[in-house]
Amino acid sequence: MPGRNHSVEAGFLDALPNSLRPAAADLLHYYRLSQLIIMRKEGVDDDLKKRFDLKTMHWLQVLDAVILTKVSYFDVTTQMTPKHINKLLEITAFALHEPDATLSELIKRVEKDYVFFADWLKQVHEVRMEFVKHAKSKGLI
C-alpha cells in the first residue's frame, strides 16, 4: 500500500455511515486489493466477522468503498502494462456494479460525486490513448 502522501479518492469512504467506518479503516489499512476482491466475491473471513458485527449487505457496501479507494491509489502511467490497466478498470466496474460499462460510462457514473476518481479515470483514458498512439506509430494497428 502506498504511503500516506498519495492522493486517493476519499469520497467512497466518506459516503459510508459512521457505523461502517471502523471496518472500512481496518480493511483499507490491513488488506491488499486482491484479498478485498476475494472477500467481495466469497464473503468476509471469520476473523473480520468476529471483530465487526455487520450484516452481509453492509460488508458488501464497505468492501466496494474500500476497493474503489484502493484502486485510486494506483498511479496509472505508460509504465504499467495495458493488461494491468484493464484489470484496474475491470475491478472498478465490478465495485461500481457496472461490469459491462465502458470507460466513458464509468467516468460519467462518478464525475458528479467523486471528482478525484473521475480525474483518475480520465488519466487512465489518456494513458490508453498513448498506448494506441504508440502502437499506430509502430504500425501495429
Side-chain angles (χ1 to χ4, degrees):
M1 184 162 103
R4 295 185 188 272
N5 62 340
H6 287 260
S7 297
V8 299
E9 175 59 69
F12 297 112
L13 298 175
D14 291 344
L16 291 173
N18 287 337
S19 62
L20 302 182
R21 291 182 183 189
D26 191 87
L27 292 173
L28 186 67
H29 294 289
Y30 299 113
Y31 291 84
R32 294 184 315 273
L33 183 57
S34 60
Q35 293 172 298
L36 298 170
I37 294 166
I38 290 168
M39 282 192 274
R40 179 61 177 80
K41 291 178 177 179
E42 299 176 6
V44 176
D45 63 42
D46 290 336
D47 178 50
L48 281 167
K49 287 180 184 176
K50 287 177 189 172
R51 287 195 323 234
F52 304 101
D53 185 26
L54 302 179
K55 294 179 181 181
T56 300
M57 64 182 256
H58 292 133
W59 276 118
L60 296 176
Q61 185 180 1
V62 167
L63 284 162
D64 288 339
V66 174
I67 287 168
L68 291 165
T69 302
K70 285 242 186 202
V71 165
S72 76
Y73 281 171
F74 288 87
D75 185 21
V76 178
T77 69
T78 56
Q79 301 303 308
M80 293 180 83
T81 66
K83 180 180 176 180
H84 287 124
I85 293 169
N86 289 337
K87 182 52 100 174
L88 289 174
L89 289 174
E90 179 185 327
I91 292 166
T92 297
F94 169 74
L96 287 171
H97 305 269
E98 305 268 352
D100 299 320
T102 65
L103 178 54
S104 296
E105 291 167 338
L106 293 174
I107 292 169
K108 285 179 185 167
R109 166 88 157 59
V110 301
E111 66 187 345
K112 180 182 175 211
D113 297 319
Y114 306 103
V115 176
F116 180 90
F117 201 75
D119 287 344
W120 182 86
L121 287 168
K122 289 172 185 173
Q123 175 63 29
V124 170
H125 175 70
E126 289 176 20
V127 169
R128 289 173 108 198
M129 295 311 296
E130 283 295 318
F131 284 132
V132 169
K133 184 177 162 184
H134 180 74
K136 283 182 180 179
S137 73
K138 296 285 185 184
L140 301 172
I141 57 172

